[in-house]
Amino acid sequence: MSKPVAPTTPVVRAPVDLDGFAAIVGARNVITAAADMEPFLREARDLYRGVARAVVKPGSTGEVAAVVRHARALGLAVVPQGGNTGLVGGQIPGAESDAIVLSLARMDRVREIDPLTDTMTVEAGMTLLKAQELAEQADRLFPLSLASEGSCTIGGNIATNAGGTAVLAYGNTRDLVLGLEVVLADGRVWNGLNKLRKDNTGYDLKDLFVGSEGTLGVVTAAVLKLFPRPRSRATAFCAVASPEAALALLMLAKKQAGSALTTFELVPRIGVEFVTRHIPGARDPLSDVSPWYVLLELSSPAESGLDEMLEALLGEAIEQGVVADAAIAASLDQRHAFWTLREALSEVQKLEGGSIKHDVSVPVALVPQFLEEAVACVSGMVPGCRPVPFGHMGDGNIHFNVSQPEGADRDAFLGLWDAMNEKVHAIVTRLGGSISAEHGVGRLKRDLLPAVKDPVALDLMRAIKRAIDPEGLLNPGAVL
């Protein structure tokens, strides 16, 4: 694999009649002008710029099915797209395929909220934030939470099996989905929108589509699990001497707080410095500098008791020498300030120059070993580089990002993308981890799979793809 680059020359293709799409979705919902298509053909980090015949925006499952059938008749591939917030290029059509982008943005309706079964059925184009708000209006919680929640969509979350900051307590997207509605490559609609918590009538088909990145079918709607809405939260920003100390704090928090522990995020000192340097109003919440920090949060449907639990937990952690210092949020503003130190990390890295990124996971117990080895490895490769590893230590998912040395040439540094990926991924693989923890495979990591994936698993994946999409119509070039 090489670091992706935007195509420099246009791809010339024989003309096709696109009027059939307009007949299905209406002329205003078929975009063909290059300038109007551009936002759909560039991903968030500008690593990929795609090529497409049109962007087609259906408004119903029936229209999605008809669009897929028509694209198949024209010999055009279909690349489903939600909020276009993906970070591995899976939502961008490659130049190697002749495709349309199938935008689900118009399909953003709620079909049902059922508080008695704790479920909500929504369409795939609904933003994650809107789903969270609808759950809250029903006095429930939909716990998936991502930095991009204002623009990412439920369909995209399902396609990539998104993780986020609450996986420790609630699991990945896969764990939050009970049923799906999916349009298949031949235009048939699979109606799997059931609310059952138990169903042993054969293969669990929904799990084929969760995490498949639009390569097996187009998710049009989903039944999502809801949970009791928290009445109280207690949030702390803790100074720890090392990842080993953070791991000890995690074990203590699990022991004392149990299911109330919903967030455990690791933040390096350099990350705090980046955020306080670039985000107006952001400040260091602790008086003394620490090499590492933990953002820890407890939540409960009970209205009281969490503050005392958190104070007791931190008191014991300080007594044991696990935590050097800690600040507990005394208001919503303070809680927001703590979260800013974590959630702004990706944004502020852009302002520090080039950054080579790794979305990886290892067994939780091995996070300290991974960090020690990976930091030493990249520092040896590029003296002066600035590792900024952060993320979901509670579930073993670390965003091992490496910022360029101060004053270095950005392009020269990014030219080391492949070499650094190879070395970091080798450490991850040796420790029994994954080179894609929550962002997916897309096009960015597709060519890495043969080196890290069991060959039998790859054969099974290819067999499933051939069986469900024999013509390779859906999102060609992604994942496999």
Side-chain angles (χ1 to χ4, degrees):
M1 184 204 77
S2 60
K3 178 182 174 294
V5 294
T8 56
T9 56
V11 178
V12 179
R13 305 189 191 278
V16 294
D17 185 1
L18 301 175
D19 290 345
F21 293 121
I24 297 168
V25 303
R28 66 178 180 176
N29 294 311
V30 179
I31 303 171
T32 57
D36 296 333
M37 285 199 294
E38 186 177 3
F40 299 88
L41 299 177
R42 297 177 65 174
E43 54 85 60
R45 297 195 303 219
D46 207 25
L47 295 179
Y48 290 91
R49 298 186 189 181
V51 178
R53 296 281 191 162
V55 176
V56 183
K57 302 172 70 175
S60 67
T61 300
E63 288 186 2
V64 173
V67 167
V68 169
R69 287 193 296 268
H70 188 60
R72 184 185 184 197
L74 295 177
L76 299 178
V78 175
V79 178
Q81 188 179 104
N84 194 15
T85 60
L87 297 175
V88 291
Q91 74 281 17
I92 303 295
E96 74 277 5
S97 61
D98 195 7
I100 62 165
V101 171
L102 182 69
S103 170
L104 280 298
R106 292 177 60 215
M107 294 187 61
D108 63 350
R109 292 173 288 273
V110 57
R111 295 188 183 178
E112 181 190 49
I113 298 178
D114 185 350
L116 294 180
T117 59
D118 282 323
T119 63
M120 177 170 63
T121 304
V122 303
E123 292 182 338
M126 178 178 289
T127 65
L128 174 55
L129 180 60
K130 184 176 178 181
Q132 294 168 344
E133 292 171 345
L134 286 169
E136 187 171 358
Q137 291 168 17
D139 197 29
R140 296 293 187 272
L141 171 73
F142 182 59
L144 185 64
S145 182
L146 312 171
S148 61
E149 59 197 26
S151 50
C152 69
T153 64
I154 294 298
N157 299 150
I158 291 168
T160 58
N161 188 28
T165 57
V167 171
L168 173 64
Y170 299 101
N172 293 293
T173 299
R174 186 183 306 280
D175 303 297
L176 303 175
V177 174
L178 284 174
L180 291 177
E181 178 184 81
V182 181
V183 173
L184 303 176
D186 59 7
R188 289 182 298 162
V189 179
W190 171 54
N191 183 359
L193 291 175
N194 72 67
K195 308 177 190 177
L196 299 176
R197 304 282 172 149
K198 292 182 176 181
D199 180 5
N200 280 327
T201 55
Y203 305 134
D204 190 347
L205 296 178
K206 69 173 168 50
D207 275 347
L208 279 177
F209 298 100
V210 179
S212 69
E213 301 187 48
T215 62
L216 300 179
V218 181
V219 173
T220 51
V223 179
L224 306 176
K225 294 181 185 177
L226 301 180
F227 295 83
R229 184 173 66 84
R231 260 51 178 191
S232 59
R233 287 187 173 90
T235 310
F237 200 76
C238 312
V240 293
S242 65
E244 288 82 1
L247 180 61
L249 177 59
L250 174 62
M251 296 302 104
L252 184 61
K254 285 183 173 181
K255 177 182 177 182
Q256 292 208 4
S259 61
L261 177 63
T262 50
T263 297
F264 197 95
E265 297 286 301
L266 186 67
V267 178
R269 176 62 200 175
I270 191 173
V272 172
E273 293 172 355
F274 281 6
V275 174
T276 54
R277 184 181 305 162
H278 295 292
I279 301 297
R283 62 180 184 86
D284 194 331
L286 301 174
S287 56
D288 294 329
V289 170
S290 176
W292 294 91
Y293 302 90
V294 168
L295 174 63
L296 185 156
E297 187 162 274
L298 310 181
S299 63
S300 169
E303 294 185 356
S304 61
L306 279 188
D307 290 338
E308 295 80 5
M309 181 185 293
L310 182 57
E311 289 174 4
L313 165 61
L314 294 178
E316 183 169 341
I318 290 173
E319 184 177 329
Q320 292 183 10
V322 171
V323 169
D325 192 11
I328 297 177
S331 65
L332 287 177
D333 286 343
Q334 277 193 311
R335 176 178 180 266
H336 175 72
F338 290 174
W339 272 99
T340 296
L341 293 171
R342 162 62 183 89
E343 291 186 328
L345 281 171
S346 293
E347 174 188 348
V348 296
Q349 275 189 273
K350 299 175 185 176
L351 305 176
E352 291 287 333
S355 180
I356 298 176
K357 301 177 183 294
H358 309 83
D359 164 44
V360 299
S361 64
V362 296
V364 173
L366 298 182
V367 168
Q369 181 180 345
F370 163 71
L371 289 172
E372 180 180 4
E373 293 188 21
V375 168
C377 174
V378 300
S379 298
M381 281 186 68
V382 186
C385 74
R386 296 171 292 169
V388 191
F390 66 92
H392 322 301
M393 187 169 183
D395 55 57
N397 174 195
I398 298 296
H399 299 294
F400 190 79
N401 297 350
V402 184
S403 288
Q404 69 178 62
E406 291 187 76
D409 180 85
R410 181 180 184 275
D411 291 338
F413 176 72
L414 293 179
L416 299 170
W417 186 292
D418 287 353
M420 188 174 289
N421 276 187
E422 183 178 356
K423 289 185 178 293
V424 172
H425 290 161
I427 297 170
V428 170
T429 302
R430 177 164 48 78
L431 295 179
S434 170
I435 66 168
S436 178
E438 65 176 1
H439 292 163
V441 174
R443 286 163 176 74
L444 183 66
K445 299 183 179 181
R446 176 194 63 199
D447 296 336
L448 299 177
L449 286 193
V452 300
K453 196 81 172 172
D454 179 83
V456 175
L458 278 176
D459 283 347
L460 289 171
M461 289 169 64
R462 293 187 183 106
I464 291 168
K465 172 69 171 174
R466 287 193 300 269
I468 297 178
D469 181 19
E471 298 173 77
L473 173 74
L474 296 174
N475 209 2
V479 184
L480 293 171

